[in-house]
Amino acid sequence: MATAGKVIKCRAAVAWEPNKPLVIEEIEVAPPQANEVRIKIVATGVCHTDLYHLFEGMHKDGFPAVLGHEGAGIVESVGPGVTEFQPGDKVIPLFVSQCRECRFCKNPKTNQASGRHDMMAPADSRFTCKGKKVLQFMGTSTFSQYTVMNQIAIAKIDPAAPLDKVCLLGCGICTGYGAAVNTAKVEPGSTCAVFGLGAVGLAAVMGCKSAGAKRIFAVDINPDKFGKAKVFGATDFVNPKDHDKPISQVLAEMTNGGVDYSLECVGNVTVMRSALESCVKGWGVSVLVGWTDLYDVATRPIQLIAGRTWKGSLFGGFKSKDGVPQMVKAYLDKKVKLDEFITHNMTLVAIYFTLVAVLSFYPLDEMFHVLFSLGSKQFCVTVYIGNYERLVSQKR
Ligand SMILES: NC(=O)c1ccc[n+]([C@@H]2O[C@H](COP(=O)([O-])OP(=O)(O)OC[C@H]3O[C@@H](n4cnc5c(N)ncnc54)[C@H](O)[C@@H]3O)[C@@H](O)[C@H]2O)c1
Ligand SMILES: [Zn+2]
Ligand SMILES: [Zn+2]
């Protein structure tokens, strides 16, 4: 390849500061070092965790960064010591690695990893922009035309896979689906409740359905989400805004004492508590999937003493390198849906203008609503990085 071994200059959406729009910049992407692979990103989704980093978490040492961790692409070149990948392979970058050697990888009970590439250390980033090191968010940075990853954090996938669809398996869909199937271990004939119907929650509904759940309650404060939830298998719909009582009480009354499984896919500690308390005593299992590190979770001890189990799930409990290619195959075999999650296809430039418009015209507390209702987070967006240049020239 003509570019192998050379610095590649390409476009990326750079988050220079918290709470500011992304800026489309030309960045330099260094060649892959030992055990690394340089990937041409073809498509990426937008996950709430990208927005969380920019607008909610806002940790100062996490900028400047290139966000994005739900992408798919093609190997451009490989560094020394890489034998598993070759230029031209279709791949999905992984924000949870799998080295197959450490104590976590060897233990079938977990998909946790111990590698450094999961983090955003400046030394691990291969990006520079205007002479400054730019961090690789979650190690992946899929809002860039090229990225560099360690080979233990890349999944090789079926060459037949359409990258603009399977990119969603890089985070949201594996996360929600696996949280139901692998972490909650939903059983046939059971009753489930899924709180929050973004991509993650809808995938959790799909996971409950595929595990054979008899009744699946879809809970969201935005009733527009219920139609989509039905497509994925939800049987009942609950909008907390329609009730004066706590939602756990509403669900307990509808299910003779509570659901067997609940999944929190919002990232709100109050909802996490409601989800736990919506479970039946004795055996109910509640899984935390939504992300926040700003608040503590709480409940009364009796909730757990009475036999409920509270668990958390990272990336749906999938061992990433093994699980992602299996999910790609399940999609190609029509066993899991992906197309139905996609509401909008837009270019990197469009995402940029969406963010700029939103940030310039709306006050901060209205912003999330506007941003989401514009569709950037309504279910999931696929962003075609490849179309960027074409769109720019049209714009000029
Ligand atoms: N654990 C993991 O590995 C992992 C991976 C990916 C994402 N996440 C997290 O999962 C969460 C969901 O991600 P997403 O991309 O689907 O988000 P999203 O913003 O698309 O969806 C969230 C949904 O929750 C609904 N909601 C908001 N407040 C609610 C409330 N009080 N009650 C019920 N519903 C409510 C919203 O209307 C929306 O439909 C986020 O917190 C994200 O950071 C975790
Ligand atoms: Zn994510
Ligand atoms: Zn490992």
Side-chain angles (χ1 to χ4, degrees), residues 375-389:
S376 83
K377 271 319 297 171
Q378 205 150 10
F379 299 109
C380 226
V381 189
T382 313
V383 187
Y384 289 96
I385 303 267
N387 287 352
Y388 174 74
E389 300 295 348

Side-chain angles (χ1 to χ4, degrees), residues 46-50 68-70 95 137-138 170-173 175 200 315 377:
V46 180
C47 170
H48 193 122
T49 312
D50 299 312
H69 60 284
E70 198 173 75
F95 68 91
F137 179 63
M138 294 175 91
C171 183
I173 312 310
T175 294
V200 174
F315 195 51
K377 271 319 297 171

Side-chain angles (χ1 to χ4, degrees), residues 97-106 111-115 117 152 319:
S97 61
Q98 188 186 352
C99 73
R100 304 188 198 280
E101 283 165 13
C102 72
R103 96 183 258 216
F104 297 99
C105 286
K106 283 185 174 158
N111 67 339
Q112 294 286 320
S114 56
H117 42 267
I152 61 174
K319 296 254 191 208

